[in-house]
Amino acid sequence: MESLKNKIMSEGIVLGGDILKVDSFLNHQIDVGFLNEIGKEFKNRFKDVKVDKILTIEASGIAIASITAQYFGNVPVVFAKKSESKNLDSDVYETKVYSFTKDRDYAVKVSKKYLSEGENILILDDFLANGRAAVGLMDIVKQANANVVGLGIVIEKGFQDGGQILRDSGVRLESLAIIDSIADGKLEYRD
Ligand code: 5GP
């Protein structure tokens, strides 16, 4: 997605440890107009797929998923919760995910009320690095006996393992921009 590559070029900041910061439009301040373009692009990439629900993970996935859902006929969006919360039902699907940015494991939970057997689930997230978040969300869908019909990622860091692992597993993965290297703060994109 050319406009996304340009946006990352002009607004992205490379931090040490191969972290890309896109706080000006995706992870802190949200550029709603641009997220609409992202939503349309996800619809275009998954136009042949029947989607009953979109699943993402808090926090940054929520805005992406909510805007994208409007292009899939306002399907419900469910976001997996990372935080311990007294509000969350006790009857949950739960998995453990290692956080790349925080360097620790955390529990991810979805109430059993909001994922049902046989539903077609599109998983969306902001970044793909080593694939732990995506694998965790796929595990939750599996626990619900629902179907993962695709995985949509805004920015894939292609120099980390996640993309390869997921493609090899046979899941349909669509990344809107794939960065193949971050060398000396300079980004190289995959075509
Ligand atoms: P993974 O689980 O694929 O290793 O990492 C993906 C998750 O870590 C995403 O949900 C995202 O929140 C976070 N993440 C990984 N790499 C980056 C990065 O370079 N920048 C930002 N902002 N988040 C990242």
Side-chain angles (χ1 to χ4, degrees), residues 88-176:
L88 191 62
D89 300 328
S90 52
D91 208 9
V92 293
Y93 301 114
E94 181 171 350
T95 196
K96 283 239 171 341
V97 169
Y98 170 78
S99 165
F100 179 78
T101 46
K102 296 192 180 71
D103 189 23
R104 64 173 172 84
D105 278 329
Y106 57 92
V108 169
K109 299 176 188 177
V110 172
S111 167
K112 290 189 178 173
K113 272 193 221 153
Y114 301 122
L115 285 180
S116 304
E117 186 170 345
E119 282 179 331
N120 284 349
I121 309 295
L122 175 64
I123 296 175
L124 297 180
D125 203 5
D126 56 347
F127 275 88
L128 176 64
N130 294 308
R132 307 292 186 87
V135 167
L137 291 174
M138 287 168 63
D139 179 41
I140 281 180
V141 174
K142 194 170 164 214
Q143 290 178 43
N145 290 316
N147 317 308
V148 176
V149 292
L151 180 56
I153 297 290
V154 180
I155 303 172
E156 175 180 338
K157 294 192 293 180
F159 52 88
Q160 290 175 285
D161 289 345
Q164 181 79 42
I165 292 168
L166 291 162
R167 287 186 181 93
D168 287 350
S169 82
V171 69
R172 175 156 171 196
L173 169 61
E174 293 281 349
S175 299
L176 304 189

Side-chain angles (χ1 to χ4, degrees), residues 67-78:
I67 288 188
T68 300
Q70 298 176 90
Y71 298 97
F72 284 86
N74 293 322
V75 293
V77 169
V78 179

Side-chain angles (χ1 to χ4, degrees), residues 48-79:
D48 56 317
V49 173
K50 180 178 176 286
V51 174
D52 298 317
K53 257 178 205 172
I54 295 177
L55 176 66
T56 188
I57 185 162
E58 65 179 354
S60 298
I62 299 173
I64 297 163
S66 301
I67 288 188
T68 300
Q70 298 176 90
Y71 298 97
F72 284 86
N74 293 322
V75 293
V77 169
V78 179
F79 61 93

Side-chain angles (χ1 to χ4, degrees), residues 4-62:
L4 174 60
K5 290 183 188 172
N6 294 336
K7 189 101 171 149
I8 298 168
M9 287 296 198
S10 61
E11 299 184 27
I13 296 167
V14 175
L15 301 181
D18 292 335
I19 296 281
L20 173 65
K21 223 168 134 86
V22 285
D23 281 7
S24 66
F25 66 97
L26 199 61
N27 291 135
H28 195 357
Q29 173 172 261
I30 291 174
D31 183 335
V32 174
F34 192 68
L35 278 201
N36 273 295
E37 297 310 308
I38 285 177
K40 281 182 211 161
E41 183 66 20
F42 277 133
K43 175 62 188 171
N44 187 38
R45 304 249 185 148
F46 291 105
K47 57 175 178 282
D48 56 317
V49 173
K50 180 178 176 286
V51 174
D52 298 317
K53 257 178 205 172
I54 295 177
L55 176 66
T56 188
I57 185 162
E58 65 179 354
S60 298
I62 299 173

